């Protein structure tokens, strides 16, 4: 399809509702940095987000704020606190509270404890949802590795002990990087991945950090023009990332 | 009718400082972010899932994701409102599709649509109440059949083929109506955002 024909599809792409075949055509234009389609999709993304305001305003329940804040505050274990409870323990505790209610336990105190339990249960549910999302993420990563068209590049391994690992690249699925012996980024810094074309400037491909063991997994789920790509690299950059690399790469996986 | 336009927080450079504090794991900053966007996020999710309990859970997930991904978001270059509302919409649509037994979008697709970098260069004033009212006014200018289709796309994440099946209209007709609706909305909103 021509850029003129694709123009009609920018908004549906931004909304994630484009049919698969049309999406693939548009993503091919985006992957080669089409000067019409890239800014067109960006503009569509900007204004279509505003459609959220067609939704009628509804006040959330007051407990939602407490649930959200319970997620980000470190648990404060108190005597007989609930921080260590699992689902099963929470259920048992709930039964105990119901029994206390039955025997005339102060109702306001029970309600307060119920709120606390509900917040903890919400925390556990969110953790479960995060785990499920992580599981889907890993499943997709494995799928990328297993696709026959996926290219694999090994990096590192030289003395004394630089980061080493592998990069997998698929033209439509993007890039998956697994690294070890990569020290955790110091405070105020973060690792930034780059797609380095054979000609032209490196393109940013997301931020990540390594864990305490020096291991990192990072994905960039955007189409990559493999034929025009010379390498995938990683640099240490200021937190928040930068549009162009400012330091020597710590990882270079040449194609 | 009271709409999200009435719930829109004011814009401002204070979001830069807010995200900087969130990146430093300041729980109080998260409270302020919730106060700014909690109602908008909950309203959007509730409109999609039509269930108060589910909306509460998904709004909580939305803020958890924002907390976990804040390091990748630059409020100087991007719109916090655009990012947060997109995360909320994706959570809600994925839940709805799953509940209806439809295939969820792959993690890659959803992840791509809500990457913080996608919102770099988005206009910071998107969330402003005037802009939000403009959206509502633009929606009111659509014909009823056009508005229904845009809502199916935005609030339910339906493709045009799915819209045709839902409304019983021929696919060609749906495409014509959607194209006309988007053209009108683009003309009304693109310059304003």
């Amino acid at each position: 399809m021509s850029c003129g024909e694709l123009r009609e599809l920018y908004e549906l792409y931004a909304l994630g509702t484009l049919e698969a075949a049309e999406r693939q055509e548009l993503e091919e234009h985006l992957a080669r940095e089409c000067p019409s389609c890239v800014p067109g999709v960006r503009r569509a993304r900007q204004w279509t987000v505003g459609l959220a305001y067609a939704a009628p305003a509804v006040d959330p329940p007051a407990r939602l704020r407490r649930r959200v804040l319970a997620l980000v505050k470190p648990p404060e274990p108190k005597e007989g606190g609930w921080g260590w409870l699992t689902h099963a323990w929470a259920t048992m505790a709930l039964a105990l509270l119901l029994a206390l209610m039955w025997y005339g336990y102060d109702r306001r105190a029970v309600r307060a404890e119920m709120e606390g339990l509900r917040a903890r249960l919400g925390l556990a549910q969110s953790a479960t949802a995060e785990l499920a999302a992580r599981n889907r993420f890993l499943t997709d990563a494995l799928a990328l590795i297993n696709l026959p068209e996926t290219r694999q590049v090994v990096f590192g391994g030289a003395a004394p002990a630089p980061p080493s690992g592998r990069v997998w690249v698929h033209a439509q699925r993007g890039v998956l990087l697994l690294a070890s012996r990569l020290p955790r980024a110091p405070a105020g810094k973060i690792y930034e991945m780059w797609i380095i074309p054979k000609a032209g400037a490196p393109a940013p491909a997301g931020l990540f950090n390594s864990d305490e063991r020096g291991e990192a997994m990072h994905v960039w789920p955007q189409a990559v023009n493999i034929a025009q790509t010379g390498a995938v690299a990683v640099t240490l950059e200021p937190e928040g990332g930068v549009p162009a690399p400012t330091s020597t790469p710590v990882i270079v996986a040449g194609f | 009718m009271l709409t999200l336009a009435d719930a829109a927080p004011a814009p401002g450079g204070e979001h830069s400082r807010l995200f900087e504090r969130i990146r430093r794991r300041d729980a109080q900053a998260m409270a302020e972010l919730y106060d700014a966007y909690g109602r908008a996020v909950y309203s959007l999710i509730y409109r999609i899932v039509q269930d108060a309990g589910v909306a509460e859970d998904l709004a909580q997930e939305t803020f958890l994701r924002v907390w976990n991904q804040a390091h990748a978001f630059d409020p100087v270059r991007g719109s916090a409102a655009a990012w947060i509302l997109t995360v909320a919409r994706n959570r809600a649509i994925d839940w709805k599709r799953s509940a209806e037994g439809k295939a969820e979008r792959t993690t890659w697709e959803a992840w791509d649509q809500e990457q913080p970098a996608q919102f770099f260069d988005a206009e910071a004033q998107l969330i402003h109440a005037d802009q939000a009212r403009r959206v509502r006014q633009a929606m009111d200018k659509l014909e009823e059949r056009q508005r229904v289709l845009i809502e199916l796309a935005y609030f339910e994440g339906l493709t045009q083929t799915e819209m045709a099946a839902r409304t019983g209209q021929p696919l060609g007709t749906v495409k014509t109506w959607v194209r006309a609706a988007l053209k009108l909305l683009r003309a009304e909103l693109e310059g304003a955002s």
Side-chain angles (χ1 to χ4, degrees), chain A residues 114-174:
Chain A
M114 292 281 282
E115 283 291 331
L117 267 179
R118 196 176 286 120
R120 291 296 171 209
L121 280 170
L123 184 62
Q125 285 164 352
S126 287
T128 304
E130 282 285 301
L131 279 175
R134 182 74 179 162
N135 185 39
R136 285 201 302 271
F137 176 82
L138 290 173
T139 303
D140 284 345
L142 281 175
L144 182 147
I145 292 172
N146 286 328
L147 285 169
E149 309 85 18
T150 299
R151 284 193 57 183
Q152 181 187 173
V153 180
V154 178
F155 62 85
S164 63
R166 290 162 197 266
V167 168
W168 289 266
V169 184
H170 186 277
Q172 279 80 47
R173 294 285 187 113

Side-chain angles (χ1 to χ4, degrees), chain A residues 19 23 53 59 67 140 221, chain B residues 57 60 108-109 111 127 161:
Chain A
E19 314 284 354
R23 188 179 70 227
Y53 297 112
D59 285 324
R67 284 181 60 179
D140 284 345
Chain B
D57 289 344
Q60 187 187 26
W108 292 90
E109 287 172 306
W111 199 80
I127 196 75
T161 302

Side-chain angles (χ1 to χ4, degrees), chain A:
Chain A
M1 292 173 91
S2 69
C3 294
E5 292 168 311
L6 289 171
R7 186 178 188 281
E8 303 287 342
L9 306 178
Y10 293 160
E11 284 82 11
L12 293 176
Y13 179 76
L15 295 176
T17 60
L18 207 50
E19 314 284 354
E22 294 170 323
R23 188 179 70 227
Q24 190 175 345
E25 289 219 36
L26 180 51
E27 285 180 342
E28 284 171 8
H29 281 239
L30 299 178
R32 61 171 186 260
E33 298 289 322
C34 169
S36 297
C37 295
V38 170
V41 167
R42 187 186 303 132
R43 282 196 301 275
R45 242 187 248 287
Q46 287 169 13
W47 77 256
T48 53
V49 174
L51 295 176
Y53 297 112
V58 182
D59 285 324
R63 65 174 170 271
L64 177 57
R65 189 177 192 277
R66 290 194 293 275
R67 284 181 60 179
V68 168
L69 297 185
L71 293 175
V72 302
K73 281 183 180 165
E76 296 172 12
K78 55 182 180 183
E79 207 171 330
W82 307 102
W84 50 278
L85 290 178
T86 61
H87 281 291
W89 285 109
T91 306
M92 288 171 61
L94 196 59
L96 176 62
L97 284 173
L98 289 172
L100 286 172
M101 283 179 72
W102 181 259
Y103 287 106
Y105 189 79
D106 177 70
R107 292 177 66 182
R108 274 197 298 180
V110 170
R111 213 162 22 236
E113 292 295 347
M114 292 281 282
E115 283 291 331
L117 267 179
R118 196 176 286 120
R120 291 296 171 209
L121 280 170
L123 184 62
Q125 285 164 352
S126 287
T128 304
E130 282 285 301
L131 279 175
R134 182 74 179 162
N135 185 39
R136 285 201 302 271
F137 176 82
L138 290 173
T139 303
D140 284 345
L142 281 175
L144 182 147
I145 292 172
N146 286 328
L147 285 169
E149 309 85 18
T150 299
R151 284 193 57 183
Q152 181 187 173
V153 180
V154 178
F155 62 85
S164 63
R166 290 162 197 266
V167 168
W168 289 266
V169 184
H170 186 277
Q172 279 80 47
R173 294 285 187 113
V175 181
L176 166 64
L177 176 143
L178 284 181
S180 56
R181 295 194 306 224
L182 183 65
R184 197 159 174 76
K189 297 280 189 178
I190 198 147
Y191 290 110
E192 185 157 9
M193 190 166 83
W194 306 92
I195 310 291
I196 302 181
K198 288 175 178 168
L207 307 174
F208 67 96
N209 206 343
S210 55
D211 62 21
E212 298 74 18
R213 296 167 302 173
E215 292 177 356
M217 175 177 178
H218 176 60
V219 291
W220 180 247
Q222 300 212 6
V224 176
N225 186 335
I226 297 176
Q228 297 300 318
T229 299
V232 169
V234 174
T235 57
L236 190 61
E237 302 293 353
E239 201 171 41
V242 289
T246 63
S247 64
T248 306
V250 294
I251 291 174
V252 177
F255 282 29

